[in-house]
Amino acid sequence: MRSARAIFLSVLLVFPISCWAQLVAIQNVRMWPAPDYTRLVFDLSGSLQYRLFMLKDPYRVVIDLHGARLVGPLPQLGSGSQIVADLRSGARTKGTVRIVVDLKIDAQPRSFLLKPAGPYGHRLVVDLYNTAKAAQDRARLAARATAPPSRKFIVVIDPGHGGDDPGATGHVYGTREKNVVLAIARDLDRLVAAQPGMKAIMTRTGDYYVPLEQRRRMARGADVFVSIHADSMPGRVDDARGASVYALSEKGATSTLAKALASDENTSDWIGGVNLNSVESGVSEVLGDLTKSATIADSLRLGDDMLPYLRRVAPMHSNKVEQAGFVVLESPIPSVLIETGFISNPTDERKLRSRLFQEHTADAIFDGLKRAEPWLLARRGVPIRTAHVALPDEYVVRPGDTLTAIAHRHDVSVTVLRDVNDLKDSTLPVGLSLRIPTGGGRG
Ligand SMILES: [Zn+2]
């Protein structure tokens, strides 16, 4: 009798709990404010159906999640967004959770569901666009694409990852790639902006995700595209370290590591969150095969221009420009991707966290850009305004120079200078690059 009642009671208790457990749990909400939109990400225990609509006076978004339940109270989102004011919830009917997003301004919503990727399970993404600002940005981009070639040297600086996509994570300090590369990119942005004749465009300026396609699109009408990353080697922590420079490859990767890195970087859109149904494939259409190989050759030269400066800052992982099929590098202009170090290596991770190393890395990339600027500008018919920039171990011959004077100035012997540079006689054409041996060259 007693046990029968116990069974009956437990059935009563278990039944609604099991029903409740079948509902998709809304586990967390994250907010990522970008300059032109704010992204809300709902972490879900499974896929579900939802309905989204806008209301006015005051502006708000209503999201009804069917077959869902809330796990605990909604998180405090903070005041970082210029669009989203607040978030509140209410159970509307049985099994439907209504979430109301109070807005500061009128906004246009775009929403989509994401399947599990990287560290995340099912997600509902709601992007709220600042309608006025989006129109302005589109007009500005269009104007730049059709404008007559500018005399400015335009550098697109692309800090990798952001928002839901943290990139690689350090093992010792938990350093996140997205933060390190943004810091380096901001340093580089300041350097480029301060340089007469140069102009910088950042693909992202804060902690939010920008789809790879959109990053490539920002390259239109610019001169160079520099993507900044810091990657990780899964498994054996100490193996890989140092910086490397990558260009796009059409034929496959130059090494297994290059291939692994490219496939890691290419998953960004899945983790960062992109509505793949709406992704345009604009760039590949714009870019014919011929231009592509020409661009790859220029990208390799651009990478070559950067290597010596990066080598000054850190040991290089590879001494040549590596190639792999990085999606973000499929751009119509010379483009390189710089791995500033291996965040998975404790020594590299410590360095990548340091402001000094970040600044020095930005300096090195900037020096490489200055070196590439004259020949890149010449490519599009802009008269060369800047002088050839010398490498750290290089001297460019100026009018009136003699071999003896150059040797004396650099504390090397004439014989060594002549040997190293393979000079047959003592004629020195102006503009010739001489390699200057470093360390105990005199003798
Ligand atoms: Zn990366």
Side-chain angles (χ1 to χ4, degrees), residues 161 177 229-231 265 339:
H161 315 280
E177 180 187 353
H229 290 255
D231 259 284
E265 300 298 3
E339 299 286 1

Side-chain angles (χ1 to χ4, degrees), residues 226-283:
V226 182
S227 194
I228 304 173
H229 290 255
D231 259 284
S232 104
M233 182 83 149
R236 297 194 307 264
V237 167
D238 290 308
D239 268 12
R241 57 172 304 204
S244 0
V245 179
Y246 289 87
L248 179 70
S249 164
E250 285 181 291
K251 295 180 212 120
T254 44
S255 72
T256 343
L257 178 64
K259 192 179 171 182
L261 283 179
S263 81
D264 265 7
E265 300 298 3
N266 293 347
T267 58
S268 254
D269 274 352
W270 290 98
I271 300 165
V274 169
N275 186 6
L276 290 164
N277 296 328
S278 75
V279 170
E280 307 160 39
S281 55
V283 176

